[in-house]
Amino acid sequence: MSLELEGVVKRYGERVALDGVDLRVSAGEMLALLGPNGAGKSTLVAIACGLMKPDTGTVRVAGRPGVAFQEIGIYPSLTVRENLWAFAEVHGVSRRSSERLLGSFALTELADRRAGQLSGGEQRRLHTAIALVHRPRVVLLDEPTAGADTQTRAAILEAVRAVAAAGTAVVYTTHYLPEVEELGADVALLESGRVIASGSIASLVAAHASSVLEVEYADGRVVRRPGASLDGLEADVVRAELIRPSLESAYLALTGRRGAA
Amino acid sequence: MSIVRTELRLLRHDPVPAAVLVGMPLVLMTLLSDAMQSTLATEGYRGVSGSAQTVPGMACVFATFAIAVVGFAIFREHGWRTWPRLRAAGLGARALLGGKLAVPAGLVTAQHVVLFGFGVAFLDLEVTGSWLAVALIAACFGVLVLVAGLAAAAALSTIQQVNAVTNLGAMVLGGLGGGFVPVESLPDWIEPLAPISPVYWAMDGYRTAILEGGGVGDVLVPLAVLLAFTALFAAIAVWRLKLDAPKRTWG
């Protein structure tokens, strides 16, 4: 097992951020950690990378994990290449080895540009690449595609697939459910600090998803009802959207909320 | 060493603040040395160059800005969100803080070498006593400001506070301690307060070695007081240091 959390509890004062979380991620496995804001995803990442200690429970990680936190962490006055070098040196790996990531993240042409001069998406790619400089056996990516453009999203998803194929365990938090389906990752759904469902996308869909009709009325009310029938709708409907059985509808059934599109 | 390399790269990309730390005292020394000659003469040091006051004085005042150099080196990692990455990479206090102190230590050393070298070469600075005593005072004062920088970074939560404390240290304590003009030239009511400033003790030692022909044995008291100040700042740093405490920067 590359990453294993058992009975992890973390409190901030009175608030319980994680409430007995159990997770296991094997080599080469991708686990998408889903859940609404405040569910405990970032706390879990901080604990898994050793930045925070759990109040109780145990955490076992194979080697030093690579981590990309939600907020971009790069040296803006250094070049892209120097950013990779800086973290390669921190991890005791060669600078040359870190440069393999320039191509993987579409950064080759930007290698000698200062990171502070990059666009948000380019910075996001560099930020994610840094997590992989030391070829970690476990990678923790906290919302790596938040606010990312199409190219950035594609590059990050491709890199995630590649590192998983090479045997790295990947934990990936996101609000973008189509992204999780695209990756074909296993899912753990976190709510109020607890894992309320986990498994493959197919198993979650089979167990929890059904067609849902989401109806928005002129007065702003949003009503969701099972099935696909339009019968019985009131007259002032401004939008009616059918959510077919999918990770989205499973997520909706489990949390009462929709993921990000 | 990885942190030191990163700090050197950052310095190479943005050398202006470091250059100002060396260049500005050079300008002030040059402008003030003639005026300071007559000030020293009124205190009985006739025929000596004013650089005997301005070189060590400016060295003390501008070395004090290293408080900000150390503080900013730590705070900007928080602002750039690279600090948690370094922590998650397993770097502890020794690697992080040692790395953060190394480059400022080099800067303070270079600053003193350039200022005293310039003083000797162009401003007729003459050390009548022991150069070793001068070097020891410079080294102790340098360590003091670096540790003070660490204490400031540990105890303060915003970069604006670090800036304010640095200005206080350099300008107020520098002036009070005789960094700009000899303490004897300050208003009578201020003179008794001067010993609360570390600069006072550094200048006391410098004066003994530069103007009064003193050797290492003659500057032991100022050296001991500087070390005591350093111990105090080190205690504050140890007491207040929380590696993962949030720090607010300009962002």
Side-chain angles (χ1 to χ4, degrees), chain A residues 203-257:
Chain A
S203 69
L204 287 181
V205 170
H208 303 285
S210 57
S211 291
V212 174
L213 188 66
E214 184 173 273
V215 182
E216 184 178 349
Y217 291 98
D219 60 6
R221 278 181 303 135
V222 176
V223 175
R224 299 185 188 107
R225 56 188 215 178
S229 169
L230 297 173
D231 291 345
L233 289 183
E234 296 166 40
D236 55 347
V237 170
V238 293
R239 180 179 64 86
E241 183 182 351
L242 179 64
I243 304 169
R244 296 190 181 282
S246 62
L247 186 58
E248 168 80 30
S249 54
Y251 184 89
L252 183 59
L254 287 160
T255 66
R257 301 177 179 88

Side-chain angles (χ1 to χ4, degrees), chain A residues 67 73 75-76 82 89 127, chain B residues 9-10 12-13 77 80 85 88:
Chain A
V67 60
Y75 293 107
E82 287 171 331
E89 288 163 356
H127 170 71
Chain B
R9 287 187 190 112
L10 291 166
R12 185 166 59 81
H13 282 290
E77 295 273 1
W80 293 334
R85 295 200 94 137

Side-chain angles (χ1 to χ4, degrees), chain A residues 41-208:
Chain A
K41 301 188 296 294
S42 295
T43 299
L44 194 150
V45 168
I47 286 175
C49 73
L51 205 54
M52 204 180 267
K53 285 189 165 50
D55 296 328
T56 58
T58 56
V59 179
R60 293 184 202 88
V61 188
R64 180 72 63 188
V67 60
F69 297 104
Q70 196 171 334
E71 290 179 309
I72 291 174
I74 55 176
Y75 293 107
S77 53
L78 298 188
T79 67
V80 168
R81 193 190 306 278
E82 287 171 331
N83 268 276
L84 294 174
W85 288 355
F87 287 97
E89 288 163 356
V90 164
H91 286 284
V93 300
S94 75
R95 294 191 289 183
R96 177 176 289 190
S97 128
S98 70
E99 293 191 13
R100 76 191 188 281
L101 294 162
L102 291 171
S104 311
F105 284 87
L107 292 168
T108 306
E109 289 179 5
L110 305 170
D112 296 313
R113 194 181 293 180
R114 289 192 190 200
Q117 295 171 340
L118 303 180
S119 70
E122 291 161 348
Q123 289 185 350
R124 176 68 67 180
R125 297 207 294 274
L126 172 60
H127 170 71
T128 309
I130 287 169
L132 305 175
V133 285
H134 60 298
R135 299 183 194 274
R137 292 165 65 188
V138 177
V139 176
L140 308 159
L141 304 175
D142 194 1
E143 301 196 25
T145 58
D149 55 51
T150 309
Q151 186 193 6
T152 296
R153 188 169 292 196
I156 289 173
L157 293 185
E158 185 52 41
V160 167
R161 277 191 212 95
V163 294
T168 302
V170 180
V171 176
Y172 186 104
T173 83
T174 185
H175 291 287
Y176 299 104
L177 304 183
E179 212 169 85
V180 178
E181 291 177 312
E182 196 179 329
L183 278 173
D186 283 345
V187 171
L189 182 51
L190 207 58
E191 179 152 81
S192 303
R194 292 182 179 181
V195 177
I196 59 170
S198 62
S200 66
I201 294 172
S203 69
L204 287 181
V205 170
H208 303 285

